[in-house]
Amino acid sequence: SQQGEEDPQALSIQEGENATMNCSYKTSINNLQWYRQNSGRGLVHLILIRSNEREKHSGRLRVTLDTSKKSSSLLITASRAADTASYFCATGTGGFKTIFGAGTRLFVKA
Amino acid sequence: GAVVSQHPSRVICKSGTSVKIECRSLDFQATTMFWYRQFPKKSLMLMATSNEGSKATYEQGVEKDKFLINHASLTLSTLTVTSAHPEDSSFYICSARGATRPGQDTQYFGPGTRLTVL
């Protein structure tokens, strides 16, 4: 990818389990965002965390950011089959240029 | 909320033809628009950044003569894939930067355009 890597590349879990996805990036950032994309569809913005924040919550989502390690994680708790999608981290730098990570494909089995 | 639209949502064309994709910001003025390309099961790759009234800035490896970008107004940017070939088949997504309220400058993504070149 243009910015960094996500791991794992693919994740398969049972409904009800938690899913954790990690993202690493290369350059200094203003913010980091997580997006969701269902197969062949557009992006859905999930959450934005600013570079001076360390953790953020939104419903079943929890995002952490470690700027010293240039990494972030997305935790989805109590996963549902409807959470099956690809998840991308994206970093924002000056000028609103947003660069995407490689993505994690999550499959939640009912 | 703010909406960014793309037209067409799907297009199939013959090899050698040119295809124009429109990106519009519907309820705000977009000072900057971005074009991304996404191959199947891959991430979004930034192709270019366009500012209204000026030439687009292309990312390394993106042919500017192949992918013509025109940001003619604060609500419209177009991407023209010239002399399209099968390897140009991809999902093209635009995003627009703007403020729906004073001080709330943010970025919104369009729904994407799937291009298939036969």
Side-chain angles (χ1 to χ4, degrees):
Chain A
S1 70
Q2 289 174 308
Q3 173 61 294
E5 299 301 319
E6 286 180 63
D7 112 81
Q9 292 184 343
L11 179 61
S12 182
I13 59 174
Q14 290 290 140
E15 204 167 30
E17 294 180 341
N18 296 341
T20 299
M21 289 160 267
N22 302 297
C23 163
S24 62
Y25 56 91
K26 299 173 184 172
T27 63
S28 296
I29 61 171
N30 291 344
N31 61 70
L32 186 143
Q33 303 166 64
W34 283 89
Y35 289 86
R36 165 198 167 118
Q37 185 182 38
N38 287 77
S39 181
R41 307 294 293 274
L43 295 170
V44 175
H45 183 261
L46 296 177
I47 198 165
L48 179 150
I49 185 165
R50 301 190 190 285
S51 59
N52 61 351
E53 297 176 309
R54 291 296 167 259
E55 188 170 311
K56 204 161 183 180
H57 297 255
S58 176
R60 294 185 294 115
L61 306 180
R62 173 177 168 253
V63 168
T64 63
L65 178 63
D66 187 335
T67 52
S68 66
K69 295 181 180 178
K70 291 188 168 60
S71 68
S72 173
S73 69
L74 170 67
L75 168 68
I76 303 175
T77 60
S79 64
R80 305 166 182 167
D83 294 329
T84 295
S86 291
Y87 292 82
F88 297 94
C89 70
T91 52
T93 58
F96 270 80
K97 193 171 176 178
T98 300
I99 303 296
F100 284 80
T104 294
R105 295 172 65 195
L106 174 65
F107 181 65
V108 182
K109 293 176 280 189
Chain B
V3 176
V4 173
S5 70
Q6 284 184 237
H7 177 79
S9 58
R10 289 178 178 270
V11 57
I12 300 173
C13 70
K14 292 182 179 179
S15 188
T17 60
S18 294
V19 175
K20 180 184 284 188
I21 302 169
E22 293 185 350
C23 176
R24 292 181 185 274
S25 58
L26 298 184
D27 54 4
F28 66 98
Q29 293 186 329
T31 52
T32 307
M33 287 186 170
F34 304 88
W35 286 95
Y36 293 84
R37 178 169 58 182
Q38 184 181 32
F39 291 110
K41 300 182 181 178
K42 298 293 184 181
S43 185
L44 283 75
M45 299 294 290
L46 179 64
M47 298 174 68
T49 303
S50 75
N51 293 294
E52 186 265 337
S54 63
K55 289 184 179 180
T57 302
Y58 290 81
E59 296 297 306
Q60 192 173 10
V62 178
E63 299 174 60
K64 60 181 180 182
D65 294 331
K66 171 79 172 173
F67 300 99
L68 301 178
I69 292 172
N70 186 339
H71 194 155
S73 74
L74 285 172
T75 60
L76 174 64
S77 176
T78 60
L79 168 68
T80 301
V81 183
T82 62
S83 187
H85 290 282
E87 57 264 31
D88 298 323
S89 298
S90 189
F91 194 49
Y92 292 88
I93 301 175
C94 74
S95 72
R97 170 193 176 186
T100 55
R101 299 176 191 171
Q104 293 206 357
D105 199 0
T106 190
Q107 186 178 21
Y108 304 93
F109 283 84
T113 295
R114 184 160 304 281
L115 170 64
T116 303
V117 184
L118 302 176

